[in-house]
Amino acid sequence: MVAVIETNSLTKTYGSLVAVNKLNLKVEKNTIHGFLGPNGAGKSTTIKVLIGLLKADSGSAKILGQEIGWDRPETRAHVGYMPELPKLPKHLKGTELLDIYGRMYGMTEAERAKQVPELLDVVGLGDRGTDLIGQYSKGMQQRLGLAQALLNAPELVILDEPSLGLDPVGMVEVRDLMKKLAKQGTTIFLSSHLLHEVQQVCTQVTIINRGVEVTSGSLEEISSRVEGPLKIEVEVNNLSKPILEKLEALPFVDNVSRSGKKLLIELTTRDDVRSEVSQAITNAGGVVVAMNLKGESLEDVFIDLLGTREKES
Amino acid sequence: MSGRNTSWLMKFLAIVRYEILWNIRKKKFIGMFIVAFALATLTLAGGYITSAITGEPVDADPEFVISSNAGLGGLVFFLFAVVTTMNVISAEFESGTITPLLAKPLSRTTVFLGKLLAAFLTLLATYSFLIIYMAIGSFVAYGPQTNLHLIPLSLLGALFSTLIWISIVLLFGTLSKSSLMAALGPFGIWIGTTIIGQILQALSGQGWILNYIPGVGNFGYVDGSPLEGGFPVSTGTDSIGANLVNYILHPAWEVTYYKIDIEGPAQIPSWVPLSTEPLSNVILTSIAVAVVYFIVFFAVSWYVFKHAQVAE
């Protein structure tokens, strides 16, 4: 697979703070690549180095096959970038901003005339394009920030927390748009703290913490790297001692703890044994109201890999 | 995208457009324009105000527009430089708009030069409007005007003088990334050279130092001391336009510098001549000083901007 982003021991420090530490990142073409990490992990710093806003202390990086260097505008010609909570010039109107940015990308007048209204429609600002950006709400500025990132029909789109400040409908629209762009062959590099968002749209994921890559790969690969058994959380009506005994007797159950109507069953396996557990509860006279497998969602993987599960609990 | 025009000029003009729209929509700029317009109107009305007070009729003055340098002077240069430039780099950093801007495929040199050209064009349009207003107003108020062909020279001088202040504002703004510092730093220089410098000059006789500092400069007089009705000539970068016009009208002018001596036996202040030089020397010195400051300040600002990192 062709890499559209490739870093080699990329390092960036702020004084004594190492924000990005020898990062080896690889984003393959035609993927939606999630970039995850807790606050201060170095996600935005990495992106800013890639875009040319920050200078790396050491290491190297390539975007679309070109070394990023410093102040090399040609490396950004086919890249769209949406910063986290984009700050856009308030003195311009939405259409003016996109038109001027379009000129900066070297788009012809005909291209701008077609692309600008289309993009405003796509992000839901079709009827507000002639308003000054200073009159836009935070969510509307976020939408315009997304539109400007897609203006040059980029091969690579880098989105830093695109759902921040959006209402639930807006979030869904952004996810749908990402999927649509990916289908059209655009590579998307998505930095997000919304794990369910990443889980819904991304095909590949890189997790970093304190500037260091924790893991990288497809969602399935990453899940399989998580050590330790799964857990099942189950809510049971008619919860009784025989049910607990029955569950504890199951060969793949390590421990069962109770909290009101809820049971947390710790397993000795990573196999999905929900049907066996459900059957055991029913046989012992209980009624399963709800059941969740814990330890396989991206959130579980994220917490597990960052070693913060204990702190969280 | 096929047919995409990737010419440098197109991108450069996009920055110019971006910046001009910002300039003319700034409340500060609109406010300053109103102030400059009011000052010009006050200059035009000066003769009539005096007439109303003294009761004497207003005389025709064919030299009015030229002798008043079309109403453009040091304070206007300084203030317009501040309002057009204080936000050029610093406000982009302060507001965060620098992030999406520098993510576009433009070199930082292109961004820097485009912003400068925009400031220059904004000033050119503003000063042109004010000069035309003054020329028409002078005709209406004081009758037909002479030497109108020298007005472009006044305009050129005004732009050049303002560019020096622009380079100072830009330097402070780029180094500090703060619009407040971009305004306050040059303001300190302006106050220093305009007020403190003049006091030191008059009392110490060391006014020549002001020839090498941007601003109003030293004060000399033509045809006698101030007490003898001598015509004042300021030597600084703010007066390049006025001095050029004076040189064309009076090429033989000699400028004499004085100090105020209050150490005589009677303790009565007297103006003691220190030195004399041709007006052409004054002009050449001020232009050379302006060019050096301009190049150095712009070069430093450009270098700092080119290497500035955008962390926020």
Side-chain angles (χ1 to χ4, degrees):
Chain A
M1 289 287 276
V2 179
V4 293
I5 296 176
E6 197 168 9
T7 70
N8 182 20
S9 291
L10 193 73
T11 301
K12 173 67 189 169
T13 59
Y14 299 110
S16 59
L17 175 72
V18 184
V20 179
N21 193 359
K22 295 178 181 171
L23 184 66
N24 294 310
L25 177 68
K26 193 172 182 184
V27 175
E28 290 169 350
K29 196 173 179 179
N30 295 334
T31 58
I32 304 182
H33 194 115
F35 195 37
L36 286 171
N39 292 337
K43 304 187 297 292
S44 292
T45 298
T46 303
I47 288 173
K48 285 187 171 178
V49 170
L50 293 171
I51 290 295
L53 298 169
L54 290 172
K55 197 180 287 187
D57 293 314
S58 62
S60 62
K62 282 183 180 177
I63 280 197
L64 298 170
Q66 297 187 82
E67 286 284 347
I68 55 167
W70 182 249
D71 200 15
R72 292 190 62 202
E74 65 274 18
T75 62
R76 301 188 288 271
H78 303 287
V79 179
Y81 166 52
M82 177 188 179
E84 182 179 354
L85 291 174
K87 308 289 190 308
L88 302 168
K90 294 180 178 175
H91 64 283
L92 293 176
K93 297 168 184 174
T95 48
E96 284 176 340
L97 179 78
L98 294 184
D99 184 73
I100 287 173
Y101 280 175
R103 290 166 192 257
M104 292 176 185
Y105 279 115
M107 293 167 66
T108 63
E109 191 173 350
E111 285 173 337
R112 298 195 307 273
K114 179 175 178 291
Q115 190 84 333
V116 169
E118 272 184 17
L119 271 176
L120 285 171
D121 276 338
V122 165
V123 298
L125 291 175
D127 56 342
R128 298 295 300 271
T130 53
D131 291 348
L132 285 172
I133 295 168
Q135 297 168 352
Y136 282 16
S137 68
K138 201 161 130 186
M140 288 165 71
Q141 290 190 37
Q142 192 80 350
R143 288 165 183 265
L144 190 62
L146 182 59
Q148 62 86 35
L150 306 177
L151 189 59
N152 58 330
E155 291 174 40
L156 167 66
V157 181
I158 298 176
L159 304 174
D160 197 352
E161 302 286 359
S163 297
L164 222 57
L166 291 181
D167 55 37
V169 176
M171 287 183 182
V172 172
E173 287 172 354
V174 167
R175 277 174 220 154
D176 289 345
L177 183 59
M178 281 191 271
K179 288 175 187 170
K180 187 179 165 191
L181 288 167
K183 273 185 190 168
Q184 292 168 352
T186 307
T187 306
I188 296 173
F189 186 53
L190 170 67
S191 170
S192 175
H193 73 285
L194 299 175
L195 300 177
H196 62 280
E197 177 175 78
V198 172
Q199 193 158 19
Q200 282 178 34
V201 298
C202 293
T203 48
Q204 302 284 314
V205 172
T206 295
I207 299 176
I208 67 167
N209 189 26
R210 294 178 185 172
V212 179
E213 181 184 309
V214 176
T215 190
S216 188
S218 68
L219 285 173
E220 295 76 23
E221 285 168 347
I222 288 177
S223 294
S224 69
R225 284 174 206 161
V226 176
E227 293 177 359
L230 296 173
K231 291 179 184 177
I232 293 174
E233 191 180 63
V234 57
E235 188 176 338
V236 183
N237 275 349
N238 306 327
L239 190 55
S240 60
K241 197 176 176 186
I243 294 174
L244 292 171
E245 288 170 353
K246 188 86 175 173
L247 287 172
E248 282 167 349
L250 292 171
F252 47 76
V253 170
D254 183 39
N255 185 40
V256 180
S257 54
R258 178 180 178 176
S259 174
K261 281 185 169 184
K262 284 186 180 174
L263 296 176
L264 184 65
I265 305 163
E266 292 177 37
L267 306 176
T268 57
T269 175
R270 286 194 64 79
D271 295 336
D272 186 353
V273 289
R274 279 177 290 183
S275 58
E276 287 89 335
V277 168
S278 177
Q279 189 65 50
I281 292 170
T282 306
N283 290 346
V287 178
V288 174
V289 177
M291 184 180 278
N292 291 311
L293 193 61
K294 292 175 75 81
E296 68 164 9
S297 73
L298 189 56
E299 186 175 353
D300 298 319
V301 172
F302 184 79
I303 292 171
D304 191 281
L305 285 172
L306 296 184
T308 55
R309 189 191 292 266
E310 287 77 15
K311 286 182 189 172
E312 291 296 320
S313 61
Chain B
M1 261 191 202
S2 61
R4 183 166 290 181
N5 182 350
T6 54
S7 78
W8 177 84
L9 184 63
M10 182 185 190
K11 296 177 180 183
F12 177 69
L13 291 178
I15 276 285
V16 175
R17 184 185 175 91
Y18 171 92
E19 196 67 20
I20 284 180
L21 284 172
W22 192 336
N23 270 334
I24 61 175
R25 288 175 184 170
K26 270 187 234 168
K27 286 177 188 162
K28 285 189 281 285
F29 179 81
I30 296 166
M32 182 56 216
F33 184 80
I34 292 168
V35 168
F37 189 75
L39 284 174
T41 305
L42 201 62
T43 306
L44 282 172
Y48 288 87
I49 294 169
T50 308
S51 170
I53 295 167
T54 62
E56 292 180 9
V58 178
D59 294 330
D61 184 356
E63 295 283 329
F64 184 84
V65 70
I66 284 299
S67 62
S68 64
N69 199 33
L72 298 172
L75 177 64
V76 172
F77 300 152
F78 168 73
L79 290 176
F80 267 114
V82 168
V83 298
T84 53
T85 320
M86 69 182 281
N87 292 358
V88 162
I89 303 292
S90 50
E92 293 268 17
F93 278 92
E94 285 170 339
S95 65
T97 51
I98 195 77
T99 300
L101 179 62
L102 291 185
K104 301 295 172 288
L106 299 168
S107 75
R108 293 186 180 211
T109 303
T110 305
V111 173
F112 186 81
L113 293 177
K115 282 173 168 281
L116 282 187
L117 181 63
F120 180 82
L121 292 176
T122 307
L123 286 172
L124 178 64
T126 308
Y127 287 175
S128 297
F129 177 84
L130 288 173
I131 283 178
I132 291 168
Y133 172 69
M134 279 295 287
I136 294 170
S138 300
F139 179 84
V140 171
Y142 302 102
Q145 299 291 298
T146 57
N147 295 316
L148 290 176
H149 64 286
L150 296 177
I151 280 184
L153 204 57
S154 289
L155 175 63
L156 188 70
L159 287 168
F160 199 53
S161 300
T162 312
L163 277 178
I164 308 308
W165 285 113
I166 281 182
S167 69
I168 298 170
V169 176
L170 196 62
L171 182 71
F172 274 91
T174 312
L175 287 174
S176 67
K177 296 191 179 78
S178 155
S179 299
L180 185 65
M181 283 305 296
L184 284 183
F187 181 69
I189 294 175
W190 186 78
I191 282 285
T193 55
T194 306
I195 298 174
I196 302 169
Q198 303 308 312
I199 294 169
L200 287 175
Q201 172 212 348
L203 297 179
S204 72
Q206 301 298 313
W208 60 271
I209 296 170
L210 296 173
N211 289 338
Y212 302 97
I213 299 171
V216 70
N218 196 1
F219 265 97
Y221 295 87
V222 176
D223 296 335
S225 72
L227 295 177
E228 297 160 338
F231 184 82
V233 172
S234 60
T235 63
T237 56
D238 278 356
S239 304
I240 291 171
N243 286 343
L244 282 171
V245 168
N246 281 331
Y247 179 73
I248 288 173
L249 295 175
H250 315 284
W253 267 11
E254 298 271 325
V255 181
T256 302
Y257 302 99
Y258 295 84
K259 70 172 281 195
I260 298 173
D261 192 350
I262 52 173
E263 295 175 352
Q267 293 290 295
I268 298 170
S270 61
W271 291 72
V272 179
L274 295 171
S275 61
T276 299
E277 66 177 332
L279 180 59
S280 56
N281 272 12
V282 171
I283 294 169
L284 286 174
T285 305
S286 58
I287 289 177
V289 168
V291 167
V292 169
Y293 275 113
F294 184 80
I295 290 172
V296 171
F297 288 172
F298 274 98
V300 173
S301 300
W302 167 78
Y303 183 84
V304 171
F305 178 66
K306 188 166 173 62
H307 293 88
Q309 302 205 45
V310 185
E312 294 302 322

